[in-house]
Amino acid sequence: MQYLRSLIFVGQMYLMMPILALFFTPWAIVDRRGAFAGVHTYCRWVRWTAGWMVGLKTEIRGEAPTGEVLIASKHQSFLDIIMIVSVVPRPKFIMKASLRRAPILGWYAKRIGCVAVDRGKRAAAIKQMMEGVASGSEEPGQLIIYPQGTRVAPGVQRNYKIGTGVLYSETGQSVVPAATNVGVFWPRTGIYRKPGLAVVEFLPVIEPGMKVEAFMTHLEEVIEARSDALMAEAGFLAPTS
């Protein structure tokens, strides 16, 4: 029965994406606030329907950042993206250049300020984005990055990539770490959604000025320790090395 409920939930989730996108498109064309409203509405819809359709409640802990910052998040499944985007006012990403051609998604991503870049050009894209904010041609926002580079299932070890530290150093921006346990309930792949309480927690801000190596060590320690605690709270115990 839970699998069937999960299947229905996933189906309506993807069906609502183009429906809401089309509904908000006229507003989004004339005003970027319309694009943000569409993105926020969709993410909140997914959170709401997950709660009553499959019994998966969601909770944000800590203070969601609102200024021009980097958010460095643990990434376990699509749900952590949904949760973060649902609460930060101007979320944006550095995305793969190929996504420019994705119907609906590509246009909305560009409209909210995401930048499509070829492999290896991410730092230059972020520099350009920051220059736009400083000149007033771009709105401040929250750039969401994933230090491990991909979704990582609970209990799986994966190194943090130095690129996050390079961005922290070169941009001179504050970093807000984010921990999560969403992978316990919403897997990287597959249909089944487990009932429970999925949490994304924003952790204390890391201010500019640390050496890259020290920053990376601290970032990994705080995110992994808190994510392990959240997963344990959900009934999952990460294996010890």
Side-chain angles (χ1 to χ4, degrees), residues 39-224:
V39 169
H40 286 138
T41 299
Y42 176 72
C43 291
R44 290 163 188 169
W45 171 268
V46 173
R47 292 182 62 186
W48 179 65
T49 53
W52 64 267
M53 293 186 75
V54 294
L56 178 52
K57 307 295 184 181
T58 55
E59 179 180 323
I60 300 292
R61 298 180 186 173
E63 183 176 354
T66 58
E68 181 75 6
V69 298
L70 304 176
I71 299 175
S73 176
K74 182 78 171 173
H75 187 23
Q76 294 183 332
S77 74
F78 187 41
L79 182 57
D80 51 68
I81 298 176
I82 290 288
M83 292 176 67
I84 292 173
V85 171
S86 75
V87 295
V88 299
R90 289 185 171 272
K92 53 188 176 181
F93 300 86
I94 297 296
M95 63 184 189
K96 292 185 293 186
S98 60
L99 290 178
R100 282 195 207 100
R101 297 182 292 275
I104 301 175
L105 180 63
W107 184 82
Y108 263 85
K110 182 177 179 181
R111 200 74 180 103
I112 66 173
C114 298
V115 177
V117 296
D118 296 316
R119 184 181 298 273
K121 297 182 179 179
R122 186 171 61 168
I126 294 177
K127 182 179 180 181
Q128 179 183 351
M129 184 184 295
M130 291 179 61
E131 289 172 350
V133 171
S135 68
S137 63
E138 294 286 345
E139 294 287 343
Q142 300 77 47
L143 180 63
I144 303 164
I145 55 179
Y146 299 104
Q148 291 172 296
T150 188
R151 293 168 295 178
V152 179
V156 175
Q157 301 296 317
R158 189 179 182 94
N159 292 335
Y160 279 48
K161 296 185 175 181
I162 194 65
T164 303
V166 173
L167 291 177
Y168 163 78
S169 176
E170 292 188 353
T171 63
Q173 286 190 318
S174 299
V175 172
V176 178
T180 190
N181 66 359
V182 301
V184 175
F185 309 100
W186 184 311
R188 294 171 62 249
T189 59
I191 298 297
Y192 188 81
R193 305 291 184 260
K194 181 181 175 182
L197 179 63
V199 177
V200 166
E201 182 172 348
F202 294 109
L203 305 175
V205 177
I206 303 175
E207 300 293 350
M210 295 180 68
K211 297 290 187 181
V212 171
E213 294 79 6
F215 165 79
M216 289 302 303
T217 298
H218 178 65
L219 182 72
E220 182 170 356
E221 285 177 350
V222 297
I223 291 179
E224 291 301 307

Side-chain angles (χ1 to χ4, degrees), residues 21-36 107-108 111:
L22 290 172
F23 178 82
F24 281 96
T25 290
W27 183 13
I29 289 173
V30 299
D31 191 329
R32 285 179 63 189
R33 289 178 296 180
F36 283 110
W107 184 82
Y108 263 85
R111 200 74 180 103

Side-chain angles (χ1 to χ4, degrees), residues 15 119 230:
L15 177 63
R119 184 181 298 273
L230 291 174

